[in-house]
Amino acid sequence: MVANCSSGDNIPKKGWVIYNGFLSWGKNREPADQLCEAAIRLGEDLTAVANCDVRIVLDENGASVVGDRPDYVIFWDKDIRLARSLEAAGIPVFNSSEAIEACDDKSLTGIILAEKGIRTPKTIVAPKTYASCGFCRKEFIRDAIEILGLPVVVKENRGSFGFQVHLFDNVEDIEAFADRIGDTPFLLQEFIECSQGRDIRINMVGRTAVASMYRHSANGDFRANVTNGGLMEYHQPNNREVDIALKCMDALGLDFAGIDILFGEDGPVVCEVNSNAHMKNILMCTGINVADHIIRYVVSVINNE
Ligand SMILES: Nc1ncnc2c1ncn2[C@@H]1O[C@H](COP(=O)(O)OP(=O)(O)O)[C@@H](O)[C@H]1O
Ligand SMILES: [Mg+2]
């Protein structure tokens, strides 16, 4: 357990923000700290708690938290089992374990969005393999390219900041990639050429697009991620962009999200949906503190239950 951010006289409900306690990487704690600072500003009681410091016992009586239990949890980690255990203990969790799980796997996100008729780049999910054999049969790669064309985008199912997203212009390089990654699940995806190096990030909280930015690559990279060298500009999303973002929120059951949208030839195309989008860049770009919006939203949901 780290900073206790409680303040205020009217006994606010007690919240936790969960972050991953194993990752030592500095940016990992940033959103939890930002949310705690927002809670202090808004007079709410929020404590940053590492996933590895929570003890939950599962038995025939259900799930119970050892020691203090919070009234609600803002979950800023991908530890789906912990999120699910907290839900099993009857604690409201934002985002839900189900929503985080769906967003943490780009293939699963794509399947759910396709089921709901939401526009994404045409996608083919690589078949599952095992560590002992890897992708030892590669016919599916050539078949996928026949449908998707070249160049083609290849994404590991899990990844962030554009680090696990690649653009390949020939079959041999994709086959070599498949050899290198062992049994890591991935997908192949149509390259949305007119969006090369540019996209839109919309931060949604509840039903509202609270902040948005246009990102464009400054170094010729096809990825617009800021961590990957992209530049940011304030963006006012149009109705079609907000509409597709709302559809993603509903399809994936999200309370808040960072939604990446590509410029398709005839309108917005969903690139990916982040259940735990970092909030520092959007703050720097727009001056809007998404953390304040999240705290207000969560507290209003909790108080109206
Ligand atoms: N199908 C695509 N066509 C064109 N550009 C893409 C496509 N998919 C991803 N990109 C670019 O790559 C970036 C990173 O991809 P994304 O799926 O958002 O992964 P990450 O989780 O690493 O941010 C996007 O922001 C976008 O600029
Ligand atoms: Mg992204």
Side-chain angles (χ1 to χ4, degrees):
M1 227 176 261
V2 194
N4 188 331
C5 314
S6 68
S7 73
D9 299 319
N10 51 354
I11 319 177
K13 291 206 168 137
K14 194 165 117 77
W16 285 357
V17 51
I18 297 284
Y19 66 95
N20 193 286
F22 296 110
L23 288 172
S24 55
W25 175 58
K27 260 190 169 183
N28 172 52
R29 262 297 295 273
E30 233 174 52
D33 291 340
Q34 213 177 325
L35 285 159
C36 280
E37 285 156 21
I40 291 174
R41 267 195 301 282
L42 297 167
E44 297 300 332
D45 177 352
L46 187 70
T47 304
V49 178
N51 66 326
C52 53
D53 289 336
V54 181
R55 312 277 176 261
I56 296 191
V57 177
L58 308 172
D59 62 16
E60 68 277 17
N61 299 314
S64 44
V65 181
V66 178
D68 273 359
R69 71 179 256 139
D71 297 311
Y72 67 91
V73 169
I74 300 176
F75 208 88
W76 221 274
D77 189 25
K78 305 288 169 73
D79 189 342
I80 316 276
R81 293 174 193 85
L82 175 59
R84 185 79 180 83
S85 300
L86 289 162
E87 288 164 352
I91 299 167
V93 177
F94 304 87
N95 284 302
S96 70
S97 61
E98 206 180 333
I100 296 171
E101 187 168 26
C103 294
D104 190 33
D105 178 328
K106 289 179 168 71
S107 291
L108 187 53
T109 312
I111 293 163
I112 295 170
L113 297 185
E115 263 177 346
K116 301 285 180 187
I118 298 170
R119 188 132 181 252
T120 64
K122 209 177 273 294
T123 298
I124 293 178
V125 176
K128 178 181 169 55
T129 186
Y130 294 90
S132 56
C133 39
F135 293 98
C136 52
R137 289 183 52 187
K138 299 190 183 61
E139 298 89 329
F140 71 94
I141 294 175
R142 284 173 192 269
D143 292 344
I145 282 167
E146 272 198 23
I147 296 165
L148 304 174
L150 284 171
V152 70
V153 175
V154 173
K155 301 183 186 182
E156 294 178 29
N157 280 4
R158 295 201 162 77
S160 306
F161 310 115
F163 295 161
Q164 289 79 16
V165 176
H166 315 275
L167 187 65
F168 290 117
D169 61 8
N170 65 78
V171 179
E172 292 72 24
D173 284 353
I174 306 170
E175 290 178 341
F177 165 84
D179 278 335
R180 276 197 308 277
I181 62 169
D183 62 341
T184 308
F186 70 96
L187 59 82
L188 300 103
Q189 190 168 81
E190 168 195 8
F191 176 49
I192 306 295
E193 200 175 344
C194 57
S195 198
Q196 166 141 9
R198 35 188 219 115
D199 72 1
I200 291 167
R201 160 63 58 87
I202 302 185
N203 283 81
M204 299 291 299
V205 179
R207 312 296 302 157
T208 311
V210 299
S212 178
M213 61 182 169
Y214 169 65
R215 305 185 297 190
H216 53 106
S217 159
N219 55 12
D221 199 297
F222 81 101
R223 296 160 294 185
N225 304 71
V226 173
T227 308
N228 210 42
L231 301 177
M232 319 177 267
E233 273 173 44
Y234 176 85
H235 177 70
Q236 181 64 47
N238 64 33
N239 289 345
R240 289 181 75 187
E241 290 159 0
V242 173
D243 184 59
I244 204 167
L246 276 169
K247 288 195 170 115
C248 291
M249 297 296 284
D250 291 339
L252 297 160
L254 287 153
D255 292 291
F256 44 82
I259 301 179
D260 293 347
I261 295 175
L262 300 169
F263 297 91
E265 262 175 38
D266 37 48
V269 177
V270 177
C271 176
E272 71 148 348
V273 182
N274 300 278
S275 60
N276 303 28
H278 280 250
M279 299 175 285
K280 267 280 152 69
N281 285 337
I282 195 96
L283 172 62
M284 270 167 33
C285 174
T286 65
I288 297 166
N289 197 328
V290 175
D292 288 13
H293 289 271
I294 292 177
I295 297 290
R296 281 198 206 95
Y297 166 85
V298 168
V299 168
S300 93
V301 171
I302 288 297
N303 289 335
N304 289 321
E305 271 187 348

